[in-house]
Amino acid sequence: MITGYFWVDLILKVVAVLVVMIGLALVAIYAELKVMAHMQNRIGPYYAGGRWGWAQPFADALKFIQKEDLVPAGADAAIFKSAPYIVVAATFATFVVIPFSSSLVARNLDLGVFFLLAISSLTTLGVLMAGWSSANKYSLMGGLRAGAQLIAYELPLVLTVVAVVVQAGTMSLVGIVEAQAAPIELGPLSISLPFLLKGQIVGFVIFMVAAVAELSRIPFDMPIAESELTMGYLTEYSSLRFTMFFLGEYAAMISMSAVAATLFLGGYWMPFVPESALTYVGPFILIAKIAVLVFFMLWIRSTWPRLREDQLQDLAWRWLIPVSLANILFVGFFKVVVF
Amino acid sequence: MNDQPEATSVFDTYGAALADRLGGTAIVEHDTIRIYVERDAWVETVRRARDEEGLTFFSWLAGIDWSKDVAVGDAVEEPDGLNERFEVMCRLSSIENADAAQFIAVVPKDDPVIDSITALFGGAEWHERETHDMFGIDFAGNPNLSPIYLPEGFIGHPLLKSYPLLAREVKPWPGDVDVEDMPEEEA
Amino acid sequence: MTTDYGALMHRSEVAVSVELQTQDMTLNIGPQHPSTHGVLRLVANVDGERISGVEPVIGYMHRGYEKLAEVRTYAQMTALVNRIDWVSGFASEVPFIIAVEKLTGIEAPERAQWIRLILTEMFRISSHIVFTSSYPLELGATTPLFHALRERERVLELIEGMTGGRFHPNFNRVGGIKPAAGGGKTQKQVSMDIPAGWLEETKAVMERVLGATDDSDTLVTGNELIKARTVGVGCIPGDKAIEYGLSGPNLRASGVPFDLRKHEFHLPYDQVDFDVIAGQNGDCYDRYWVRLQEIREAAKIVLQAIDKIPPGPLRSKAPRVLKVPKGQVYVRGENPKGEFGYFVISEGGQKPYRLKIRSTSFSNLSILPWVLKGALVPDLVAIMGSLDFVLGDVDR
């Protein structure tokens, strides 16, 4: 509660979340351009906005917005036009529960994790709508591939998060961070560790793999598969709607990394930082962790080719899901018997 | 080069022996063996060359149009004595050594049909389609004799000697335009 | 409002119990498409993700080379034949000029033959680098492209230094190669030979190429995902490859160790030492691997050849107006893509009576309907890319 009035608070919070989301997404776009360029032995954006090319994402956004807005003649106009907004809205909603510090959170829901997973799966719906309504065989194939992939990788994502919830004992994201901050007594010593180091390493790896698949990034970008299907389910989109998808993808990248950082790496908390300072330093700590995870995603993108659809499904159903189920069993056993 | 008839090259011997075994006339020129066979024995000869002579690699199949009058380009050396015909030429070679031979069947112009060798070599299908496009020779037994290079609705067969080039109709041959000085013109 | 339950039940039963009849979707890939190598159109019948049949439609780039040859002199044709397979320009010129040399009886001096060999091998390196860098890109890996093309730039610079052109050198003349000359009369006297320092720079660049091949090996060949996408995909057995006329690295990857450089000696290949690289399974991975190793072999050949070039003239005397005596000859060479040959019929004039061009990619591509039956759509891109064809070569 910043001011006492509910509606003023609401508007302020919405604006703040939007600013954070779009700001971080633009930084992620710029990072992708530069980091991938250096990995490929070139420079990347160089001219837009001075020597570092920092204005490139803004230039790209402006360029897209001023393009002609095309709706294909055979397309189902209502669904075609609304698909991007559903994707963006779902991604926006996930930012609502991410805590940047114990008090800097738009809404600290008790069912934070549950809400997060439920609403982020709405993006699947948006993608399917885009693919189906485009009246284009390539888009259809891309949309169906995307649907199958996103559904398959939801399951390992959810199951690893369940393991974390079991270990933390709460579904609220702030609560999960505090569970990691709580010290464990090991004889005379008392240390506090993030969940990654408290037996969740397998869960973390599975979560990251599933997150990259949920984001349709290389090596899981069959739905977009530039060199095969032109642009998959995005082929017929132009101008503002394409910008929505584009920004939405990078915003989702940030949000997934933020969730991973909160669940496994300790979120806005770091050891040796006193409680009082956390309110101010917390956001920076979280952003630093997000940056590390986003860098890993970019690194993976530059290095590996894409998996074929059946190999992708094979990985999800035959490997990730059984292992994540075993992970839950292990964590549950650990929690009950040991802790 | 071929002044001394006693000096026969390896190609001459091989060509003569091949023609003997397969039943045709061999002409060996510049290390290239050409074996002329009858049109009716075309498929059989190719099959025997593949199975018995070890010439299993299908290199190419093409057509040649021997005509007295040419719309563009140079005519033959002695156009009056020329026997006007098509020739279908197929080259097979070995994949173990440098053995190779070209088999040629004469196809008369008033009956431009010859059997297809697609059953023996799958790769011949495209080559026969191209020859059909360019010359109008029909290959009996080819599973798909549709145009391969020419667009739909194209009239005519371009590589026939009677097929003109529009640019030459508009403007005659300008002659040999050579810009570079030859080395022997110095000093 | 009575609901006719009888009709409803019947309808739902029918809807559930009827056999699901799906129809194959006809997917038209190309002629403009990111991953077909030029204007190739594939009409594919697709059942979900599985291809039931493919028909390639070619001819979008047919330039009529064989008809054109009937109205061009042999010297003018030399300028044109390197544009058939534009990635390996010089290697396509050589068999043509040797065919003409055989018909006229003019033989090129030793030095010219060695330089032809060096340039052919450099174009082989260039063509194979284009393949090894763009093939992972089609599979989704974006990085090898930039690293490999860097070395190709060095090789193209060398070629430009010698011949004046990066892609279309037009460097062969009947009787040898074009004497490297500057402009003006005085310079012509001085530089009638290859540029000074070219041989030393070539040595340095070849060492770099060998290093870059090692880099590509590390980055791409051992990569598990590349292996998962290419091993066992698009297997072409050796006998099918021979039947369809597949040649070059495609044939060698299928296990048939046949290299024309070991059998045809119009260039002095018998005096250099190199291995014939052959694969085992004939899948996409083998085709990629064979080409990568051939880059190494080509670099080694160039290093040996630099030490073996004899001094001498670059060109034998040839008449200005070339009338080629009557005859028919077929000369083939080992193009980077396979067997490339010219069948020249001369009737004693300045222009050929008939020129038949045996272009490698035409035969290489003819196997596509056979190999794509039953493949998955993402595999279509992998298989098509691994055949390494160029549309100019297919369509002539």
Side-chain angles (χ1 to χ4, degrees), chain A residues 194-259:
Chain A
F195 280 149
L196 179 67
L197 301 174
K198 268 202 253 183
Q200 287 281 7
I201 184 123
V202 172
F204 178 63
V205 169
I206 295 180
F207 184 89
M208 286 311 290
V209 171
V212 173
E214 283 291 312
L215 296 166
S216 293
R217 288 183 65 81
I218 292 181
F220 301 107
D221 79 334
M222 263 290 143
I224 303 178
E226 266 174 19
S227 59
E228 299 168 29
L229 298 179
T230 320
M231 203 63 186
Y233 59 87
L234 293 178
T235 313
E236 296 289 344
Y237 282 90
S238 59
S239 174
L240 196 59
R241 297 179 217 286
F242 184 78
T243 321
M244 300 267 126
F245 272 119
F246 195 58
L247 261 174
E249 182 188 325
Y250 288 93
M253 204 159 98
I254 301 276
S255 117
M256 281 284 175
S257 308
V259 169

Side-chain angles (χ1 to χ4, degrees), chain C residues 29-180:
Chain C
I29 302 175
Q32 278 135 338
H33 188 84
S35 76
T36 58
H37 301 235
V39 275
L40 170 69
R41 180 174 160 213
L42 294 175
V43 183
N45 279 330
V46 174
D47 174 25
E49 284 262 337
R50 207 157 274 279
I51 298 174
S52 45
V54 152
E55 199 202 308
V57 178
I58 61 177
Y60 287 91
M61 238 198 124
H62 180 65
R63 293 165 281 175
Y65 261 94
E66 300 181 358
K67 187 76 177 179
L68 193 61
E70 294 172 13
V71 291
R72 292 277 178 272
T73 61
Y74 293 93
Q76 290 174 322
M77 260 334 262
T78 320
L80 293 175
V81 291
N82 49 46
R83 286 159 165 84
I84 302 175
D85 175 7
W86 51 68
V87 196
S88 37
F90 192 85
S92 315
E93 283 180 22
V94 168
F96 178 72
I97 213 74
I98 290 180
V100 178
E101 286 176 0
K102 279 193 168 173
L103 285 174
T104 52
I106 302 173
E107 218 186 282
E110 282 270 323
R111 191 173 174 83
Q113 288 185 13
W114 279 96
I115 293 179
R116 280 179 184 166
L117 186 146
I118 291 178
L119 284 174
T120 307
E121 291 307 309
M122 288 173 92
F123 268 96
R124 191 181 313 275
I125 294 173
S126 163
S127 170
H128 284 330
I129 287 184
V130 168
F131 173 78
T132 52
S133 60
S134 58
Y135 187 57
L137 183 67
E138 290 176 15
L139 298 176
T142 44
T143 325
L145 181 81
F146 298 97
H147 292 276
L149 284 185
R150 199 180 46 198
E151 301 312 322
R152 182 167 178 256
E153 283 300 306
R154 304 284 88 76
V155 172
L156 288 177
E157 270 174 18
L158 282 177
I159 293 172
E160 193 190 7
M162 165 80 105
T163 68
R166 278 158 57 111
F167 276 70
H168 304 301
N170 190 14
F171 199 53
N172 279 303
R173 298 286 182 271
V174 174
I177 56 177
K178 173 179 166 196

Side-chain angles (χ1 to χ4, degrees), chain A residues 264-287:
Chain A
F264 294 96
L265 298 180
Y268 59 80
W269 163 85
M270 228 168 96
F272 310 124
V273 175
E275 266 303 317
S276 49
L278 265 183
T279 356
Y280 304 103
V281 189
F284 296 102
I285 297 177
L286 182 61
I287 289 180

